[in-house]
């Protein structure tokens, strides 16, 4: 086979792979704010992001939702929780035992980072238990990142993030919990 044709085929393949991230149903463009909310009665179960240093050291974001189990009932209240500032490390868990059903974010050129806010929903008086944090997502800064809730019955309640001022990227540890099948009268943060 002609070596020039092999090289051309290889370059075409690499070029196609580098563009794969454009077809993922992103909710934002680079350096653009976004507001994503699941339909009523659904929560976020998957998060994907793609980093680009050339586009403001920013990420494209994609989210997937799933209905909550019938045993949880309908959410009785939903709200935007506290804003988490750009350029800082932070931990945020939905107040009032809420589950994450949306995210909004605004990009800041001055820090090459975003501020974040979770949209939380409260389900009767259900309480979280068996909570855990994921490992760092992405494992290394500037990598593609993906979280899929590992097991039905676990829900995203919040996140802890670290921000690298040198690399201008974040790593996330998502807070996942199960919810009781019975009513409880306390906040379990």
């Amino acid at each position: 086979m002609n070596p020039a044709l092999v090289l051309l085929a290889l370059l075409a393949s690499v070029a196609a792979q580098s563009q794969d991230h454009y077809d993922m149903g992103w909710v934002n463009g680079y350096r653009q704010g976004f507001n994503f909310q699941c339909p009523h009665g659904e929560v976020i179960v998957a998060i994907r992001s793609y980093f680009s240093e050339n586009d403001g050291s920013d990420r494209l974001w994609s989210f997937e939702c799933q209905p909550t189990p019938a045993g949880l009932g309908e959410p009785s209240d939903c709200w935007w929780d506290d804003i988490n500032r750009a350029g800082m490390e932070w931990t945020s868990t939905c107040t009032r035992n809420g589950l994450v059903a949306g995210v909004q974010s605004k990009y800041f050129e001055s820090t090459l980072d975003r501020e974040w806010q979770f949209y939380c929903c409260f389900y009767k008086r259900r309480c979280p238990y068996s909570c855990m944090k994921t490992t760092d997502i992405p494992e290394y800064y500037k990598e593609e990142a993906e979280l899929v809730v590992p097991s039905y019955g676990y829900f995203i309640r919040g996140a802890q993030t670290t921000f690298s001022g040198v690399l201008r990227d974040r790593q996330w540890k998502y807070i996942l919990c199960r919810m009781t099948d019975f009513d409880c009268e306390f906040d379990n943060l």
Side-chain angles (χ1 to χ4, degrees), residues 31-94:
R31 301 183 212 169
Q32 295 178 349
F34 65 85
N35 177 320
F36 175 85
Q37 291 180 42
C38 293
H40 183 76
E42 296 188 13
V43 292
I44 293 177
V45 295
I47 302 170
R48 177 176 289 128
S49 66
Y50 183 87
F51 181 83
S52 172
E53 193 167 358
N54 295 334
D55 292 297
S57 292
D58 194 20
R59 287 182 173 272
L60 299 174
W61 289 89
S62 174
F63 305 93
E64 292 181 32
C65 302
Q66 186 174 31
T68 56
L72 279 182
E74 292 289 316
S76 55
D77 190 21
C78 295
W79 65 94
W80 287 103
D81 226 12
D82 296 333
I83 293 176
N84 298 288
R85 299 293 174 202
M88 301 177 67
E89 294 184 4
W90 51 264
T91 299
S92 180
T93 305
C94 285

Side-chain angles (χ1 to χ4, degrees), residues 8 24 27 45 68 73 76 89 91-92 108 120 127 139 152 178:
L8 185 59
M24 300 299 292
V27 299
V45 295
T68 56
S76 55
E89 294 184 4
T91 299
S92 180
F108 288 89
C120 303
C127 290
E139 185 176 359
Y152 191 70
R178 297 181 69 82

Side-chain angles (χ1 to χ4, degrees), residues 164-183:
S164 170
V166 174
L167 299 174
R168 296 294 180 200
D169 194 19
R170 281 191 180 278
Q171 286 180 306
W172 297 74
K173 289 182 180 179
Y174 295 96
I175 301 165
L176 307 178
C177 299
R178 297 181 69 82
M179 297 296 277
T180 58
D181 292 332
F182 54 87
D183 290 348

Side-chain angles (χ1 to χ4, degrees), residues 21-33:
H21 70 275
Y22 287 108
D23 237 358
M24 300 299 292
W26 307 113
V27 299
N28 67 304
Y30 292 113
R31 301 183 212 169
Q32 295 178 349

